[in-house]
Amino acid sequence: MPEGNIIHRVARVHGRWLSGRRFTADSPQGRFEDGARGVSGRVLQAVEAHGKHLFYRFEGEVRLHVHLGLFGNIRHFRSEAPAPSPACRLRLSSPHATLHLSGPQACELLTAEDEATLRARLGEDPLRAESSLERAREKLCRGRMPLALALLDQERLSGVGNILRAEALFLARLPPLLPAGALSEADFARLWDVLQRLLSDASRDGHIVTPGAPRVPECVAGKKRAERFCVYGREGQPCPRCGAKVRRRELAARGLFFCAECQGVDAVPRPRVAKKKARAVQEKRRDARREVKKRTARSTAR
DNA sequence: TGCAGATGATGAG
DNA sequence: TCATCCTCTGCAG
């Protein structure tokens, strides 16, 4: 259930613990047997995160790409590992550490070229050192797509998920339905700053805690996850800033949480997205994805 | 204990 | 826009 912060944390921890170790690999679930054979017996050289994607580089230019999606889960064990669950897609084992990957959306071997193609498609990641505010603004702030949708588009900005979207827009006091192209330079700079802070704190701490959220100290380790947030999952509850009720609405089949008072939602008309243009963009992206898949299939066959 | 919903992405229509 | 993949969590009973 990860957003970019968790992925970066995983990359950091795995890079520290697992790099330099030689792993045997298998697929208890059986759906990644060929890939596991390709990795097995190799030394892990580096682990990198880009947005919500993980890239494991093994000796011999073998690259493992993992995307956890909504359901994916990755567990690591420094001491003796338990038996893997039947859903375990990939198990990486060494005498010092074991990793169990289950339910990923993507678990595949890529060539260097495939990886470069995939990464070229991703937007700026606020947690990556080489990310640039100007490039991020250029990619995010175009067109009439509502800001809340644009933030989840990983080709515009990578690593932001539904929680971060809601919390960042709240902290930056931005209306979620504002057309991305209408965002001013100053507003974008504020949003970028908020995203960087939220992501880096969450990557360090292991969970997102929004500054100003109600009853933060008591709930961090507890079950009431929504109380770590200002608006996400708090529909009908008072906004911690102004006391107005937090609202929820569906946007592209995802729940969007916001405070209409603080974020000036009612002042912004709902944008009309140019359907024909959006469809053309979607088709272009689909073609690009197919091309990567084809190349992956060809390289696996080799 | 069982079930609905979810921190994503993709393909079909 | 909707269905699908797939697993886990939180809540109701």
Side-chain angles (χ1 to χ4, degrees), chain A residues 1-201:
Chain A
M1 300 173 278
E3 296 196 23
N5 56 304
I6 298 291
I7 299 304
H8 275 266
R9 186 180 169 86
V10 167
R12 206 168 54 239
V13 171
H14 287 185
R16 199 165 58 222
W17 286 0
L18 312 182
S19 289
R21 305 209 187 280
R22 191 178 298 280
F23 286 91
T24 56
D26 65 336
S27 178
Q29 184 197 40
R31 287 181 56 182
F32 192 57
E33 284 172 347
D34 287 349
R37 269 195 290 277
V39 167
S40 201
R42 296 180 188 272
V43 172
L44 177 65
Q45 293 177 323
V47 187
E48 226 185 308
H50 192 141
K52 299 172 189 169
H53 299 255
L54 278 164
F55 299 94
Y56 292 80
R57 203 176 71 237
F58 290 85
E59 63 177 339
E61 281 301 300
V62 171
R63 288 150 195 267
L64 172 69
H65 167 229
V66 172
H67 190 295
L68 294 179
L70 186 56
F71 309 124
N73 192 9
I74 199 159
R75 290 194 176 104
H76 47 257
F77 308 93
R78 291 172 94 169
S79 50
E80 198 176 333
S85 77
C88 180
R89 181 83 53 93
L90 172 67
R91 173 171 55 177
L92 287 172
S93 315
S94 81
H96 304 92
T98 303
L99 188 151
H100 291 177
L101 171 68
S102 59
Q105 180 163 299
C107 174
E108 58 188 353
L109 296 187
L110 296 181
T111 64
E113 192 190 358
D114 294 334
E115 185 183 320
T117 308
L118 197 159
R119 290 174 72 154
R121 268 186 20 229
L122 296 174
E124 294 292 296
D125 177 347
L127 278 182
R128 288 187 65 85
E130 79 276 10
S131 66
S132 127
L133 183 139
E134 284 73 28
R135 278 198 304 271
R137 178 164 183 261
E138 212 171 279
K139 286 186 176 179
L140 185 83
C141 304
R142 57 189 155 81
R144 298 165 68 181
M145 181 187 276
L147 192 50
L149 277 186
L151 278 172
L152 290 189
D153 181 349
Q154 302 297 302
E155 295 183 19
R156 292 178 180 237
L157 202 66
S158 60
V160 177
N162 207 7
I163 293 179
L164 280 165
R165 158 177 89 167
E167 298 301 293
L169 287 174
F170 173 79
L171 288 181
R173 293 178 182 263
L174 291 171
L177 300 183
L178 181 76
L183 195 63
S184 72
E185 208 169 312
D187 283 346
F188 178 76
R190 195 167 71 251
L191 178 61
W192 181 253
D193 181 57
V194 164
L195 282 170
Q196 279 191 317
R197 270 191 293 129
L198 276 177
L199 274 163
S200 65
D201 289 353

Side-chain angles (χ1 to χ4, degrees), chain A residues 268-279:
Chain A
V268 179
R270 185 170 184 174
R272 294 205 319 270
V273 178
K275 281 191 179 172
K276 207 172 169 184
K277 204 173 163 188
R279 183 168 296 223

